[in-house]
Amino acid sequence: MTTSARVRAVAALLAAGALSLSLTACGGDDDGGYSNSAAQGGGSGGAAAAPAAPANAANAAGAANPAGAAGAANPAGAAGQPFGAACAAVPPNGAGSFSGMAQDPVATAASNNPLLSTLVTAVKAAGLVDTLNSAKDITVYAPTNEAFAKIPKATLDAVLADKAKLTAILTYHVSPGGTAPTALPGMHKTLQGGQLTVAGSGQNFTVNGNSKVLCGNVKTANATVYIVDTVLMPPAS
């Protein structure tokens, strides 16, 4: 073999070796690239999952937070709301609902409440509609229809026909000032001049020992109303 032929052969061998090394390096880069991509993909998946864990943990903590539960059950949170089993009988919508009654003065508000139709008849018979509607910040103990039904019909008819007696009875159900449930226990002077006594606490109150509050703390535009199950009779003068 001539010198030039040997040189060409060596050059060919060197070129083949270089090509092999180049292909090996490229293969390593491809594998590395795939691995890095997979690692990055896994990292990306981890990054997406990672925020979910704290969010779930926060939700679980919120659900188990006793402070939140205490706030929901805190009676002070419902301090301005009506209370009592009979409140369920108040219409949920319209002028006779709690929100509707809050827009009207007390006699008008009562006229829209189906529980108080007999009381409204008595108030009209006594000529007290304007007196009650124009009063400022009063408390009304409002007997239900069933409360009036406890009175013998002949007696009730006689009272309705006697304006002076009827006025005395109705004004005995009204006291000055809007009395909140927390201030309800105790003695209260009425517009009739006599006093009535309220006993109890929480959501259980009795007026004069025999008239239970069925639905209390009902707001009207000028009064706080306590719906009671027995007509209150003023003490004999």
Side-chain angles (χ1 to χ4, degrees):
M1 181 180 293
T2 63
T3 301
S4 61
R6 289 193 183 108
V7 170
R8 287 197 297 273
V10 170
L13 288 173
L14 291 173
L19 178 60
S20 176
L21 290 173
S22 175
L23 291 173
T24 300
C26 290
D29 288 345
D30 289 344
D31 291 343
Y34 177 81
S35 298
N36 289 339
S37 296
Q40 291 172 358
S44 175
N56 290 338
N59 290 339
N65 185 0
N74 185 1
Q81 300 301 313
F83 64 85
C87 293
V90 174
N93 301 299
S97 66
F98 291 127
S99 59
M101 291 179 70
Q103 305 303 312
D104 293 320
V106 64
T108 302
S111 70
N112 294 319
N113 190 313
L115 299 177
L116 305 175
S117 57
T118 306
L119 173 62
V120 171
T121 298
V123 168
K124 289 179 178 178
L128 293 174
V129 172
D130 291 339
T131 300
L132 293 176
N133 277 348
S134 62
K136 303 297 182 183
D137 197 23
I138 57 176
T139 297
V140 176
Y141 302 87
T144 62
N145 298 337
E146 289 75 10
F148 281 99
K150 293 179 182 180
I151 303 173
K153 186 177 186 304
T155 302
L156 179 59
D157 289 344
V159 170
L160 290 173
D162 187 335
K163 188 173 181 179
K165 182 177 291 187
L166 180 60
T167 298
I169 292 173
L170 292 177
T171 54
Y172 184 66
H173 289 74
V174 183
S175 61
T179 307
T182 53
L184 201 54
M187 299 185 70
H188 303 273
K189 187 171 183 179
T190 69
L191 297 187
Q192 181 267 345
Q195 290 190 328
L196 50 79
T197 303
V198 181
S201 63
Q203 296 187 1
N204 298 299
F205 296 96
T206 302
V207 186
N208 284 358
N210 67 339
S211 186
K212 294 181 180 179
V213 174
L214 301 177
C215 180
N217 203 33
V218 178
K219 301 296 185 180
T220 75
N222 68 327
T224 301
V225 178
Y226 293 89
I227 299 174
V228 296
D229 71 350
T230 303
V231 176
L232 305 172
M233 291 297 178
S237 56

